[in-house]
Amino acid sequence: MDFTLTEAERDLVGLCREFARGEIARRAPAAWEEARCPTDLLREMGALGLLGMLIPERWGGIGMSTVGFVAAMEQLGLADQSVAAAWQAHVTIGSLPLYLFGSDDQRERWLRPLAEGRALGAFGLTEPDAGSDARGIRTRAVRRDGGWLISGEKAFISNAGTDMSFGVTLLARTESDEGAKPTFASFVVEKDTPGFTLGPKMRGIGWRGLDTRALYFDDVFVADDHLVGDPAMGLNQFLQTLEVGRISIAALSLSLTQAVLDLALDYARERVQFGQPISKFQAIQFKLADIATELEAARWLTYRAASLRDCGQPFLKEAAMAKLKASRLAVWAASEAVQIHGGLGYMLESPVARFYCDAKVLEIGEGTNEIQHLVVARELGC
Ligand SMILES: Cc1cc2nc3c(=O)[nH]c(=O)nc-3n(C[C@H](O)[C@H](O)[C@H](O)COP(=O)(O)OP(=O)(O)OC[C@H]3O[C@@H](n4cnc5c(N)ncnc54)[C@H](O)[C@@H]3O)c2cc1C
């Protein structure tokens, strides 16, 4: 395995590093404090081509490899996790259903503005009564003269309620006969469609800059051309999209772990107790060495999953393993980094505290870690 970056991937990393250190690091903390989605930053990232990362040039993107996407994330997530979370949700689950399963007309109409960074994409799967059990969704789409009537509710949907949002690509049940086998289809619902309303932005422990809210559909009519892909394969399409989302959350976890390692190392070298820097105490050294070692292991798993996708190989198990390993590491590493900072680490005035708050959701979003265990176990043949 060789994950040496190509010239195009290295250029992208350089661009992301510069933007992350210059703009994101300077402006994102205020958005986190104010619990505001920094769409100004996301628009600028769009102008740099970063919002069409995994979409070919034909549809307005930059056609980057998945390995390049992971490497870019390592830079962006170092600076701020909310911006990186909004960005990755747009690039993967917010855009890929239209690219992978949409018609050319749909790609031209909805995917191109997303890829060119003029709009933000959202993925509507979760509902109040159906999270891990995606088959349990209740949102229904019923056929009506030349289109579909959608009714239901989605929960915790990211990127659908900002001033840059285009609407949502959602999953709905479509079976009509009592007792029929459930079928699921995916639809685009644009903002401002009559009957489509938004709940208030929710307040998370972390990712405070990410716009996450409930979506309500009250007899929302969409024409036939809003149906994305095969009307019987919607669930399959959504689950396939989530496989890429898992690589993305793994990459976000790597960036968080690197960020807290850097912060903890700097602090340990500076903080003097008992007449010497605390980095000279073996207890502190072992924490830092453990985080660095686990980070390398998680990095290899994540790049391996990304590289399999780029080679057109199956990557379901590897993506689940990468997400499981990297997100657990991020939560543990953030806690250890706070510990190394002592009381200062507990205060939101210190950046490490913000990363600590941002870490927990990595074990929940895009399939909880219990679900990743189930995926890996199933792939092992259990
Ligand atoms: C900040 C944030 C942003 C999000 N953005 C989006 C988005 O853009 N689009 C979207 O569709 N969703 C989004 N989600 C929803 C997210 O994907 C779900 O929260 C997640 O899939 C878990 O679903 P749930 O919350 O309903 O938990 P549940 O499924 O109710 O799970 C509760 C607990 O039970 C466990 N559990 C469930 N089933 C099993 C099982 N079979 N075996 C063992 N344990 C099990 C879970 O692991 C978990 O610990 C977001 C969530 C958050 C917090």
Side-chain angles (χ1 to χ4, degrees), residues 93 123-127 130-133 155-158 207 210 212 361 364-368 370-371 374:
I93 57 177
F123 175 86
L125 173 60
T126 307
E127 298 188 359
S132 304
D133 181 11
F156 310 129
I157 307 305
S158 303
W207 282 6
L210 182 72
T212 301
V361 68
I364 297 170
E366 310 207 15
T368 64
E370 289 76 9
I371 296 305
L374 292 181

Coordinates of all heavy atoms in Angstrom, one line a residue, residues 93 123-127 130-133 155-158 207 210 212 361 364-368 370-371 374, ligand 1:
I93 N -22.6 13.2 1.7 CA -24.0 12.8 1.7 C -25.0 13.9 1.1 O -26.0 13.6 0.6 CB -24.5 12.5 3.1 CG1 -24.3 13.6 4.1 CG2 -23.9 11.2 3.6 CD1 -24.9 13.3 5.5
F123 N -29.0 15.9 3.3 CA -29.3 14.5 3.2 C -30.4 14.2 4.3 O -30.1 14.3 5.5 CB -28.0 13.7 3.4 CG -28.1 12.2 3.4 CD1 -28.0 11.5 2.3 CD2 -28.1 11.5 4.6 CE1 -28.0 10.1 2.3 CE2 -28.1 10.1 4.7 CZ -28.0 9.4 3.5
G124 N -31.6 13.8 3.9 CA -32.7 13.6 4.8 C -33.0 12.2 5.0 O -33.9 11.7 4.3
L125 N -32.4 11.5 6.0 CA -32.8 10.1 6.3 C -33.4 10.0 7.7 O -34.5 9.5 7.8 CB -31.5 9.3 6.2 CG -31.6 7.8 6.7 CD1 -32.6 7.1 5.8 CD2 -30.2 7.1 6.6
T126 N -32.7 10.5 8.7 CA -33.2 10.3 10.1 C -34.5 10.9 10.4 O -34.8 12.0 9.9 CB -32.1 10.8 11.0 OG1 -30.8 10.3 10.7 CG2 -32.4 10.5 12.5
E127 N -35.3 10.2 11.2 CA -36.6 10.7 11.7 C -36.7 10.5 13.2 O -35.9 9.8 13.8 CB -37.7 9.9 10.9 CG -37.7 10.1 9.4 CD -38.9 9.5 8.7 OE1 -39.8 8.9 9.4 OE2 -38.9 9.6 7.5
A130 N -36.9 6.9 13.7 CA -36.1 6.0 12.9 C -34.7 6.6 12.7 O -34.6 7.6 11.9 CB -36.7 5.7 11.5
G131 N -33.7 6.1 13.4 CA -32.3 6.6 13.3 C -31.5 5.4 12.7 O -31.4 5.3 11.5
S132 N -31.0 4.6 13.6 CA -30.2 3.4 13.2 C -31.0 2.5 12.3 O -30.5 1.9 11.3 CB -29.7 2.6 14.4 OG -29.0 3.5 15.2
D133 N -32.3 2.4 12.6 CA -33.2 1.5 11.8 C -33.8 2.3 10.7 O -35.0 2.7 10.8 CB -34.2 0.9 12.8 CG -35.2 0.0 12.1 OD1 -34.9 -0.4 10.9 OD2 -36.2 -0.4 12.7
A155 N -35.5 14.4 11.2 CA -34.9 14.9 12.4 C -33.3 15.0 12.2 O -32.7 14.2 11.5 CB -35.1 13.9 13.6
F156 N -32.8 16.0 12.9 CA -31.3 16.2 12.9 C -30.7 16.4 11.5 O -29.7 15.8 11.2 CB -30.6 15.1 13.6 CG -31.1 14.6 14.9 CD1 -31.4 13.3 15.2 CD2 -31.3 15.6 15.9 CE1 -31.9 12.9 16.4 CE2 -31.8 15.2 17.2 CZ -32.1 13.8 17.4
I157 N -31.3 17.1 10.6 CA -30.8 17.2 9.3 C -29.8 18.4 9.2 O -30.2 19.6 9.5 CB -31.9 17.3 8.2 CG1 -32.9 16.2 8.4 CG2 -31.3 17.4 6.8 CD1 -32.3 14.8 8.4
S158 N -28.6 18.2 8.7 CA -27.6 19.2 8.6 C -27.7 19.9 7.2 O -27.9 19.3 6.2 CB -26.2 18.6 8.8 OG -26.2 17.9 10.0
W207 N -19.9 21.1 17.5 CA -20.3 21.4 16.2 C -21.4 22.5 16.2 O -22.4 22.5 15.5 CB -21.0 20.2 15.5 CG -20.0 19.1 15.0 CD1 -18.7 19.1 15.1 CD2 -20.3 18.0 14.2 NE1 -18.1 18.0 14.5 CE2 -19.1 17.3 13.9 CE3 -21.5 17.5 13.6 CZ2 -19.1 16.1 13.1 CZ3 -21.5 16.3 12.9 CH2 -20.3 15.6 12.6
L210 N -22.5 24.1 13.0 CA -23.3 23.3 12.0 C -24.8 23.6 12.2 O -25.3 23.6 13.3 CB -23.0 21.8 12.2 CG -23.7 20.9 11.2 CD1 -23.0 21.0 9.9 CD2 -23.6 19.4 11.7
T212 N -28.2 22.2 12.1 CA -28.9 20.9 12.2 C -30.3 21.2 12.8 O -30.4 21.9 13.8 CB -28.1 20.0 13.1 OG1 -26.8 19.8 12.6 CG2 -28.8 18.6 13.2
V361 N -19.9 13.7 18.9 CA -20.8 13.4 17.8 C -20.2 12.5 16.8 O -20.9 11.8 16.0 CB -21.3 14.7 17.2 CG1 -20.2 15.4 16.5 CG2 -22.5 14.4 16.3
I364 N -21.5 9.2 16.8 CA -22.9 9.0 16.6 C -23.4 9.3 15.1 O -24.1 8.5 14.6 CB -23.7 10.1 17.5 CG1 -23.4 9.8 19.0 CG2 -25.2 10.1 17.2 CD1 -23.9 10.8 20.0
G365 N -22.8 10.3 14.5 CA -23.3 10.7 13.2 C -23.0 9.7 12.1 O -22.0 9.0 12.2
E366 N -23.8 9.6 11.1 CA -23.6 8.7 9.9 C -23.4 7.3 10.3 O -22.6 6.6 9.8 CB -22.4 9.3 9.1 CG -22.6 10.7 8.8 CD -22.0 11.3 7.6 OE1 -21.7 10.5 6.7 OE2 -21.9 12.5 7.4
G367 N -24.3 6.8 11.2 CA -24.2 5.5 11.8 C -23.4 5.4 13.0 O -22.2 5.7 13.1
T368 N -24.1 5.1 14.1 CA -23.4 5.1 15.4 C -22.3 4.0 15.4 O -22.3 3.1 14.6 CB -24.4 4.7 16.6 OG1 -24.9 3.4 16.3 CG2 -25.6 5.7 16.6
E370 N -22.1 1.5 17.4 CA -22.7 0.2 17.5 C -23.1 -0.3 16.1 O -22.9 -1.5 15.9 CB -24.0 0.3 18.4 CG -23.7 0.5 19.9 CD -23.3 2.0 20.2 OE1 -23.4 2.9 19.3 OE2 -22.9 2.2 21.4
I371 N -23.6 0.5 15.3 CA -23.9 0.1 13.9 C -22.7 -0.3 13.2 O -22.7 -1.2 12.4 CB -24.8 1.2 13.2 CG1 -26.1 1.4 14.0 CG2 -25.0 0.9 11.8 CD1 -27.0 0.1 14.2
L374 N -21.9 -3.7 14.0 CA -22.8 -4.6 13.3 C -22.3 -4.8 11.8 O -22.3 -6.0 11.3 CB -24.2 -4.1 13.3 CG -24.9 -4.1 14.6 CD1 -26.4 -3.6 14.4 CD2 -25.0 -5.5 15.2
Ligands
LIG1 C1 -25.1 16.8 14.8 C2 -25.8 15.8 14.0 C3 -26.0 15.9 12.7 C4 -26.8 15.0 12.0 N1 -27.0 15.1 10.6 C5 -27.8 14.3 9.9 C6 -28.1 14.5 8.6 O1 -27.6 15.5 7.9 N2 -28.9 13.7 8.0 C7 -29.5 12.6 8.6 O2 -30.3 11.9 8.0 N3 -29.2 12.3 9.9 C8 -28.4 13.2 10.6 N4 -28.1 12.9 11.9 C9 -28.7 11.8 12.6 C10 -27.7 10.7 12.9 O3 -27.3 10.0 11.7 C11 -28.5 9.8 13.9 O4 -28.5 10.5 15.1 C12 -27.8 8.4 14.1 O5 -27.8 7.6 12.9 C13 -28.4 7.6 15.3 O6 -29.8 7.6 15.2 P1 -30.6 8.0 16.5 O7 -30.2 9.3 17.0 O8 -32.1 7.9 16.1 O9 -30.3 6.9 17.5 P2 -31.0 5.4 17.7 O10 -30.9 4.7 16.4 O11 -32.2 5.6 18.4 O12 -29.9 4.7 18.7 C14 -29.9 4.9 20.1 C15 -28.8 4.0 20.7 O13 -29.2 2.7 20.4 C16 -28.1 2.0 19.7 N5 -28.6 1.0 18.8 C17 -29.6 1.2 17.9 N6 -29.8 0.0 17.2 C18 -28.9 -0.9 17.7 C19 -28.6 -2.2 17.4 N7 -29.2 -2.9 16.4 N8 -27.6 -2.8 18.1 C20 -27.0 -2.2 19.1 N9 -27.2 -0.9 19.4 C21 -28.2 -0.2 18.7 C22 -27.4 3.1 19.0 O14 -26.1 2.8 18.6 C23 -27.4 4.2 20.0 O15 -26.4 4.1 20.9 C24 -27.3 13.8 12.6 C25 -27.1 13.7 14.0 C26 -26.4 14.6 14.7 C27 -26.2 14.5 16.2

